[in-house]
Amino acid sequence: MKYILFNELSNNKKGKETLDEYIKSLEEPYEAISVIGLDYSTLLPRLTAEDSIVLVGGDGTLNHFINDVDCDALENDVYFLAAGTGNDFLNDVGNGERFIKINQYIKNLPVVEINDKTYKFINGVGFGIDGWCCEEGDRQRAKSDKPVNYTSIAISGLLFKFKRRKAVVIVDGKEYVYKHAWLAPAMKGRFYGGGMQVAPTQDRLAEDPVLTNVVYTGKSKILTLIKFPNIFKGTLQKFKTVHTVSGKCIEVKFDKPCAAQIDGETILNVTSYKAHY
């Protein structure tokens, strides 16, 4: 039996369309279940060793799954059918495929401590203008059913609305201080923010895994904006205003609060986070 867990809210509420297309190709028995309000503690005991799980959604759907389920103990095959807006996880590991088995990717995940709560993450933790963009996107989505344009949001933030922070970063006990910080994520994968390759050398399946912290600084808004498109090509690190450090434990503190995002899920009013294995 295939248990298809779908998020009808993904991809600007088009997740059900992807589900319907997938079901047409199935010849084996299945049960389709919405993840909205799903209690995994009642679902998982129903599964036998031969049953499999198919997640249909985006990065947020993956994030909720890894936080609601003990994936390290899960023995069933788990597959992912991308039906999100950004699909950063698939950009990192999909090799052009839209449907992949993900058991190896959902085990031994790092955690992040934010506002006295702990979360697992599969792509990255954004802090700075990236978190602010998610906050602004949530505001727009609450007001309208129109697709959210994160590129225009980012440009607006860079030029007018987002205020840079002073960042203190501690990586495996070593402290770094940065002025005029625009963003300071901790990355498990290479991509976040809908195709931004912020950590191009990050290896999520490394035998001895680490996280990568990337701090983008810049006093000039115009120069920062001119350089910013390089993040989509994975070439932002060529600039001296981009600082990259990897380690097992990354702690970031800002002098003023702003929104953070975990795999695209927004958390408001954050002054610091601690990500680690």
Side-chain angles (χ1 to χ4, degrees), residues 139-191:
R139 276 196 290 263
Q140 294 186 13
R141 199 175 290 109
K143 295 179 180 179
S144 171
D145 289 333
K146 294 181 180 179
V148 176
N149 188 327
Y150 283 99
T151 300
S152 64
I153 290 175
I155 292 172
S156 174
L158 279 165
L159 291 179
F160 308 111
K161 296 182 179 181
F162 181 77
K163 306 300 181 184
R164 295 152 294 182
R165 266 61 171 180
K166 176 182 177 182
V168 176
V169 179
I170 303 171
V171 180
D172 292 345
K174 186 174 181 179
E175 183 175 293
Y176 306 83
V177 179
Y178 305 100
K179 295 181 180 179
H180 312 296
W182 290 95
L183 53 81
M187 300 299 298
K188 163 70 174 175
R190 294 177 295 160
F191 291 88

Side-chain angles (χ1 to χ4, degrees), residues 116-255:
D116 299 321
K117 293 185 178 181
T118 301
Y119 310 85
K120 291 181 181 178
F121 62 97
I122 198 165
N123 292 326
V125 180
F127 196 25
I129 194 170
D130 40 11
W132 179 86
C133 287
C134 287
E135 179 185 7
E136 181 62 24
D138 290 345
R139 276 196 290 263
Q140 294 186 13
R141 199 175 290 109
K143 295 179 180 179
S144 171
D145 289 333
K146 294 181 180 179
V148 176
N149 188 327
Y150 283 99
T151 300
S152 64
I153 290 175
I155 292 172
S156 174
L158 279 165
L159 291 179
F160 308 111
K161 296 182 179 181
F162 181 77
K163 306 300 181 184
R164 295 152 294 182
R165 266 61 171 180
K166 176 182 177 182
V168 176
V169 179
I170 303 171
V171 180
D172 292 345
K174 186 174 181 179
E175 183 175 293
Y176 306 83
V177 179
Y178 305 100
K179 295 181 180 179
H180 312 296
W182 290 95
L183 53 81
M187 300 299 298
K188 163 70 174 175
R190 294 177 295 160
F191 291 88
Y192 78 161
M196 297 181 186
Q197 193 174 172
V198 68
T201 62
Q202 176 68 10
D203 180 5
R204 67 168 65 237
L205 292 180
E207 188 173 327
D208 185 20
V210 295
L211 301 171
T212 296
N213 172 247
V214 181
V215 181
Y216 185 22
T217 61
K219 194 171 182 180
S220 167
K221 293 183 177 182
I222 298 299
L223 287 178
T224 299
L225 180 60
I226 291 172
K227 297 174 184 176
F228 192 75
N230 284 272
I231 201 170
F232 292 97
K233 299 180 289 185
T235 55
L236 194 64
Q237 276 74 7
K238 68 183 180 181
F239 299 110
K240 293 181 179 179
T241 52
V242 179
H243 317 273
T244 302
V245 184
S246 297
K248 294 283 188 183
C249 180
I250 294 171
E251 186 172 3
V252 178
K253 303 175 184 178
F254 278 177
D255 60 339

Side-chain angles (χ1 to χ4, degrees), residues 29-44:
Y30 70 87
E31 181 177 350
I33 304 170
S34 172
V35 299
I36 306 301
L38 177 61
D39 183 356
Y40 286 97
S41 66
T42 62
L43 172 66
L44 295 180

